[in-house]
Amino acid sequence: MMMKLLSIVDLALIAINIFNAFVLFAHLHPVESPLKKLLLVRMQQMVSGVHSTRYGVVFVQLFLDRLLDIEKEVARHDIVDFTPPTKSVMDTLLTPYKPFISVESTGLSRVPSNTPHLFVSNHSLYGIEMPLLLNELYQNRDVFPRGLADHLHFATLNGPIVRAFGGVDGTKENVDALMEKGESVLVYPGGGHEVLKHSSVPRYELMWKQRVGFARCAIKHGYPILPCACVGTEDMFESVCDIPTGYKGIVIPISVTSPSKVQKVYFWFGEPIETKQYNGEYARDDYAKEVRDKTKMAIEYGIKELKVKQASDPERYTVDQYKSKIRSKFCSSSVSVAVSDDEHSLKED
């Protein structure tokens, strides 16, 4: 009888502990984080160690995966219900960029504002260009694509910032949820490898390997792909060294810059690449590779076009932009003074 009572009490205590731990981790550690399950398993070991029956241990183990499933469902609900910031708020969020980095875009007219697309782009060193790209599309075409982010973003202080800009964990389930709702989506197939690019890799080189995940998602939902390219940010930095992380060959590049290297960021938007002709057969490797290769070719063309534009731009560097503004203002003031003097002379005559 006593053992039965202990078992009942034990199960009740475990249920309370599980609930409290779930709430705690839901707030302190987002489900997208790769550390989430590891921490929950550790918590399970600690909880199991203070209870008297093996039933309690089994109870906790069975509930771990279910708890994660529930939280993922809640997270997907939040993802779909996301409301972007107003245009004025979005513009204000980018205030720190404005004194240093200007933006110039080519092909914005090719971006439809009434049809959801999968925007696919090259990622630049440190990912500086992403909020600029979102703002450019939002302010000029009234399009706010939801960016797909790596799991690791949500294990750091960067997580809330990514969410504020509409970023979501780049899982297939989340992409399905967004596309089923008809949201535009932004993906960088190069991911962390392009953001943390090794110094030996040429600037703006695509590091996609054989990835076809984005192509499968587009085919599955019949989404047209809109290829995008970016040039400018990687020219601002000079590499000092690369610190190996031991994780998937990724390094942490250490770079330096100077006021004379800060410059304009250029965006290019290509013609949409249709996928409806594949009739949703996303599992076919030949279709996925074909779409990937078409997209890659378009983005590489866009990068080349932007490099040509960049090389011929007399106001490429921020220093030159400020020089031009000062010169223009000074000349304008000089002309005004000269005109005023001429008018005064005529009156005297």
Side-chain angles (χ1 to χ4, degrees), residues 34-257:
L35 300 176
K36 182 83 173 187
K37 188 162 185 177
L38 181 67
L39 289 170
L40 280 175
V41 169
R42 182 61 184 150
M43 178 201 73
Q44 171 254 320
Q45 292 168 347
M46 292 168 65
V47 171
S48 299
V50 299
H51 291 290
S52 58
T53 68
R54 69 184 188 84
Y55 301 113
V57 178
V58 174
F59 185 84
V60 175
Q61 287 173 337
L62 288 174
F63 262 70
L64 277 180
D65 286 336
R66 182 58 189 143
L67 284 171
L68 286 169
D69 288 342
I70 291 171
E71 194 174 343
K72 284 176 182 175
E73 286 169 16
V74 172
R76 273 196 289 277
H77 185 270
D78 292 342
I79 285 167
V80 170
D81 285 352
F82 171 81
T83 301
T86 63
K87 289 184 178 181
S88 59
V89 168
M90 185 70 177
D91 204 44
T92 303
L93 288 172
L94 292 177
T95 300
Y97 282 89
K98 291 178 181 179
F100 310 104
I101 301 174
S102 60
V103 173
E104 184 174 325
S105 293
T106 301
L108 265 172
S109 60
R110 300 178 192 134
V111 180
S113 56
N114 56 353
T115 309
H117 281 66
L118 176 61
F119 291 82
V120 183
S121 181
N122 63 306
H123 227 341
S124 293
L125 190 65
Y126 304 130
I128 294 171
E129 85 292 343
M130 184 177 178
L132 294 171
L133 174 61
L134 290 175
N135 193 52
E136 192 73 355
L137 288 168
Y138 196 26
Q139 302 294 341
N140 295 291
R141 302 301 297 166
D142 202 28
V143 174
F144 194 93
R146 306 293 299 282
L148 303 183
D150 192 274
H151 312 300
L152 288 173
H153 282 292
F154 301 96
T156 67
L157 295 174
N158 195 34
I161 299 171
V162 172
R163 278 201 193 84
F165 282 99
V168 303
D169 188 18
T171 64
K172 291 176 183 176
E173 293 80 10
N174 286 344
V175 176
D176 284 341
L178 290 172
M179 289 186 168
E180 282 165 10
K181 193 192 173 187
E183 296 260 14
S184 284
V185 178
L186 168 64
V187 62
Y188 295 96
H193 289 278
E194 288 180 359
V195 171
L196 302 174
K197 191 173 288 181
H198 196 283
S199 58
S200 63
V201 178
R203 288 171 179 165
Y204 310 111
E205 182 170 300
L206 300 184
M207 301 176 70
W208 293 9
K209 299 182 179 178
Q210 299 302 313
R211 292 174 182 167
V212 293
F214 75 89
R216 292 193 194 280
C217 290
I219 292 169
K220 181 178 181 180
H221 295 275
Y223 259 55
I225 290 174
L226 205 140
C228 315
C230 173
V231 164
T233 56
E234 293 186 8
D235 294 292
M236 299 186 202
F237 300 98
E238 286 296 333
S239 176
V240 175
C241 66
D242 299 305
I243 301 174
T245 64
Y247 176 74
K248 295 183 178 179
I250 291 177
V251 299
I252 298 176
I254 305 299
S255 304
V256 293
T257 188

